[in-house]
Amino acid sequence: MDAQGRGRGEAVDPADQWVLNPDTGDYELRLTPSAERPSAPSTPGRSARRRSGSAEGATVPGQRGRPDQSPRPSRGRSSRQPAEQQTGRRRPRPKARKKKALVWTGGVMAFLLVAVGTGGYLVYQHFNGNLTAVSDDGAGTGGFSKDRAINVLVIGTDKRTGAGNEGYGDKGSVGHADTTILLHVSKDRTNATALSIPRDLITDIPDCPTTQSDGSTKDIPGTPGKRFNESLGQYERTPSCTMRTITELTGVKVDHFMVADFNAVKTLTAAVDGVDVCLAKDIDDDKSHLKLPKGNHTLDGEQALAFLRTRKSVGFGGDLSRIEIQQQFLGSLMRKLKSNDTLTSPTKMWKLAEAATKALTVDDKINDINRLRQLGMELSSVDMKNITFTTVPVVDNPAETVKATVVLDKTKAPQLFSMIREDISLTEVKKQKKAQAAARLKGPRAASADVRVDVYNGGAPSGSAQDAIDWLQNSEGVLKSSNKANAPEKVAKTQLVYAPDQADQARRLADLMGLSASALKPTTTDAGETEPMLLTLGPDFTAAGTPLTPPSKTPEGIQRVGADKSVCAK
């Protein structure tokens, strides 16, 4: 946008001319310190000339009149005053709305790379042209909504595109899923979990129908037992395949994805004048080319990218240690975005919006600035102290002599995945604790010997129904149980259907199997004395005797760090 094109002074920075309209919660463009809202249309010729510019012809939400209307000089009134005040009718400023607008304008999740964090600016049509979109190929939910949890996949690719990035080694990389974070925002928006997926995790990559650049669809065969990072780039896989891999790995259905390359780190950190980091020791990494003494530093551009790529000089020198310093860095970036220095600087907000929209590739369901703004509104209310970074629990791959890859920790990983699926916070949130207490099953329990149940397999691993029967009969005394093989239809998760007069049996079986209240499905009519309940095992059933209810708090030994905590890289 060119201020001079509107006949203004050469020293005017358009970014500094955005002011908040407290009536609407949107930012409006004011190109002079004293300009009222336009009230009369300009001439057709002038209108056409303004619409021809890349940003000048766009309408700003909240601005009255058409974009081709020129602002008129005011008579001593501030342009920041609402129209009602300019006409002599004064009313109190809605301070709460102003505060809310500032929060969602600049304080959204940093790990969304602030694409949705610049609220009012992003609705300006100028930024729509910056976005690049790729089809989600049906791998996502099709969109987020206000009445449920939100899951966004953020992928940092190792593709060496962009100026100055060809020298980082592996310059021919097709762009793998080098840094991947699954961001889960709770249904009530009180908390969020950012789950890092190790790139060297051995997992199964499913079959992926993928839209090609020419619009055709190609079915890319799945490959079992491969590094997670090959879910993107390898064999022409797109981010939609990474979405499918995440869902198969965790059981979490992803709503949207965002992909960023090396340039995103450089441009975004420069836009906020650097990110503060702390080093507990000197770093001299010949791979990332980062050389810094211990202590506090503010990094941007090339140095910020080098910090995020460092692994040989921190922790155990592997990718898991690198994940930890990436989480520390993103937490610091989030705190910087929430700071007044950022929120109150229109110039910084403009730079952030410009950098983020140019650096990101998003799925085609959010290839629209207004849709991104709506997503930002949903995410922005989460308190920093209730945002937790964690990593998929893993162990060294036992099949390797020289340890280069990792596999799931089968004890801890299912518990963590279950917490995310069931929307359980990794931090102490009062509202969630009350909801969990209310969900506990209350009432009498039948004796195990009196429980009658037919067990079906509705999506669990093969043989699960018989495994469950063996365990129930031999370990828990539920002798009146039968294996009914495959269910007529698959279920999203394990469920128990019972009649009102079987409620005491249902509570006992729920206790034994660790079923949550949401898994119990009562009917409306009583059952016969010898009629069994119906237990259908879903994908969440992993092994007989393993509770299906997620833990109420983070299991011991799971790495995590709060976004509000400043941690020094070791």
Side-chain angles (χ1 to χ4, degrees):
M1 180 162 44
D2 184 2
Q4 298 178 38
R6 293 180 181 249
R8 304 295 186 254
E10 295 182 3
V12 175
D13 181 349
D16 287 325
Q17 303 306 310
W18 287 86
V19 295
L20 180 73
N21 181 340
D23 295 330
T24 65
D26 286 313
Y27 277 82
E28 302 180 6
L29 187 61
R30 298 287 186 268
L31 290 177
T32 64
S34 57
E36 292 181 322
R37 285 193 182 90
S39 59
S42 62
T43 64
R46 179 177 295 179
S47 172
R49 285 195 300 272
R50 285 177 182 160
R51 283 194 299 267
S52 66
S54 62
E56 291 182 1
T59 301
V60 182
Q63 180 173 326
R64 300 176 182 177
R66 298 196 307 271
D68 50 85
Q69 294 173 324
S70 300
R72 298 181 301 175
S74 69
R75 297 179 180 177
R77 300 279 186 187
S78 168
S79 64
R80 296 175 183 265
Q81 292 176 311
E84 290 82 354
Q85 293 182 16
Q86 295 176 13
T87 56
R89 296 174 59 190
R90 303 182 64 85
R91 67 181 184 183
R93 278 186 181 275
K95 294 182 180 180
R97 172 177 280 181
K98 178 176 180 179
K99 181 178 180 181
K100 179 179 178 181
L102 284 175
V103 169
W104 63 255
T105 296
V108 185
M109 309 299 132
F111 31 81
L112 286 187
L113 300 174
V114 301
V116 295
T118 48
Y121 294 106
L122 286 179
V123 298
Y124 196 54
Q125 196 62 34
H126 165 71
F127 296 110
N128 239 3
N130 289 347
L131 289 172
T132 300
V134 176
S135 175
D136 73 354
D137 297 313
T141 62
F144 63 90
S145 63
K146 293 178 178 292
D147 59 352
R148 61 178 177 81
I150 298 175
N151 297 297
V152 179
L153 189 63
V154 184
I155 306 170
T157 175
D158 61 357
K159 195 170 185 178
R160 269 65 168 169
T161 53
N165 296 326
E166 64 279 354
Y168 287 122
D170 195 18
K171 63 181 180 181
S173 174
V174 294
H176 297 108
D178 195 51
T179 300
T180 306
I181 294 176
L182 175 62
L183 171 64
H184 170 85
V185 182
S186 67
K187 178 180 177 179
D188 62 14
R189 309 298 188 254
T190 63
N191 65 91
T193 299
L195 177 68
S196 293
I197 317 294
R199 68 174 191 180
D200 296 324
L201 171 66
I202 297 299
T203 189
D204 294 337
I205 301 175
D207 296 343
C208 297
T210 305
T211 302
Q212 304 297 295
S213 57
D214 61 0
S216 63
T217 300
K218 177 180 179 181
D219 289 330
I220 302 174
T223 50
K226 294 293 183 180
R227 276 183 167 88
F228 171 82
N229 69 345
E230 293 186 18
S231 64
L232 177 65
Q234 202 77 7
Y235 307 117
E236 301 182 287
R237 294 184 177 115
T238 66
S240 68
C241 195
T242 307
M243 291 178 84
R244 295 184 194 278
T245 305
I246 287 290
T247 298
E248 184 158 306
L249 175 69
T250 66
V252 177
K253 190 73 171 178
V254 183
D255 297 304
H256 300 289
F257 66 73
M258 296 182 178
V259 183
D261 59 16
F262 283 1
N263 281 340
V265 175
K266 294 190 286 188
T267 57
L268 290 170
T269 53
V272 294
D273 294 337
V275 175
D276 299 329
V277 299
C278 173
L279 304 181
K281 64 178 183 180
D282 296 347
I283 287 184
D284 187 357
D285 195 313
D286 60 345
K287 298 293 185 181
S288 68
H289 308 298
L290 181 67
K291 187 174 183 178
L292 289 172
K294 70 176 182 179
N296 297 315
H297 302 272
T298 300
L299 308 180
D300 65 6
E302 296 288 349
Q303 271 196 324
L305 177 60
F307 181 82
L308 291 175
R309 296 183 66 245
T310 292
R311 55 177 173 164
K312 298 297 183 184
S313 301
V314 294
F316 296 104
D319 189 54
L320 296 178
S321 296
R322 185 179 69 158
I323 285 175
E324 290 187 18
I325 68 169
Q326 288 173 346
Q327 293 173 348
Q328 295 160 18
F329 183 90
L330 290 172
S332 181
L333 176 56
M334 291 170 62
R335 295 191 294 274
K336 186 68 173 283
L337 288 171
K338 290 271 191 179
S339 69
N340 286 334
D341 285 347
T342 302
L343 291 178
T344 59
S345 172
T347 301
K348 286 184 181 179
M349 298 309 298
W350 183 277
K351 289 179 180 177
L352 280 168
E354 189 80 357
T357 52
K358 285 183 176 180
L360 285 174
T361 296
V362 300
D363 69 81
D364 55 349
K365 302 301 190 300
I366 48 173
N367 184 31
D368 178 82
I369 295 302
N370 284 322
R371 190 63 174 157
L372 281 172
R373 184 184 69 161
Q374 292 167 13
L375 179 58
M377 292 280 284
E378 290 300 308
L379 306 184
S380 62
S381 60
V382 183
D383 195 304
M384 290 285 290
K385 68 181 181 181
N386 292 330
I387 301 172
T388 306
F389 288 99
T390 188
T391 305
V392 172
V394 294
V395 295
D396 287 336
N397 189 347
E400 295 176 335
T401 302
V402 178
K403 304 303 180 183
T405 61
V406 293
V407 296
L408 286 183
D409 183 326
K410 293 185 178 181
T411 300
K412 298 175 183 176
Q415 296 183 70
L416 182 57
F417 296 159
S418 178
M419 291 184 72
I420 294 175
R421 286 195 305 268
E422 296 296 324
D423 202 21
I424 304 299
S425 175
L426 270 65
T427 57
E428 295 292 330
V429 181
K430 291 182 180 179
K431 191 173 181 180
Q432 289 236 332
K433 289 176 71 176
K434 290 180 180 179
Q436 292 169 27
R440 294 192 184 104
L441 299 174
K442 297 179 181 179
R445 268 73 169 158
S448 295
D450 294 331
V451 173
R452 294 179 179 270
V453 61
D454 285 346
V455 181
Y456 293 84
N457 189 330
S462 178
S464 292
Q466 188 58 50
D467 289 344
I469 290 295
D470 292 342
W471 176 76
L472 286 170
Q473 294 183 351
N474 299 326
S475 299
E476 303 301 329
V478 182
L479 301 179
K480 300 172 184 177
S481 53
S482 301
N483 178 4
K484 294 298 183 179
N486 291 331
E489 295 181 356
K490 290 187 176 182
V491 293
K493 64 179 184 178
T494 299
Q495 63 181 32
L496 175 65
V497 178
Y498 65 98
D501 59 346
Q502 296 172 326
D504 57 343
Q505 297 182 48
R507 295 187 196 101
R508 172 59 66 191
L509 190 61
D511 290 346
L512 295 175
M513 299 196 65
L515 296 173
S516 65
S518 63
L520 273 60
K521 311 293 182 183
T523 62
T524 57
T525 57
D526 286 344
E529 185 176 346
T530 61
E531 186 174 341
M533 300 181 292
L534 305 180
L535 175 67
T536 305
L537 306 178
D540 55 335
F541 181 88
T542 56
T546 300
L548 293 170
T549 303
S552 59
K553 62 180 181 179
T554 309
E556 293 292 328
I558 289 181
Q559 175 269 335
R560 61 175 179 160
V561 62
D564 62 328
K565 301 293 192 300
S566 178
V567 183
C568 293
K570 300 178 180 179

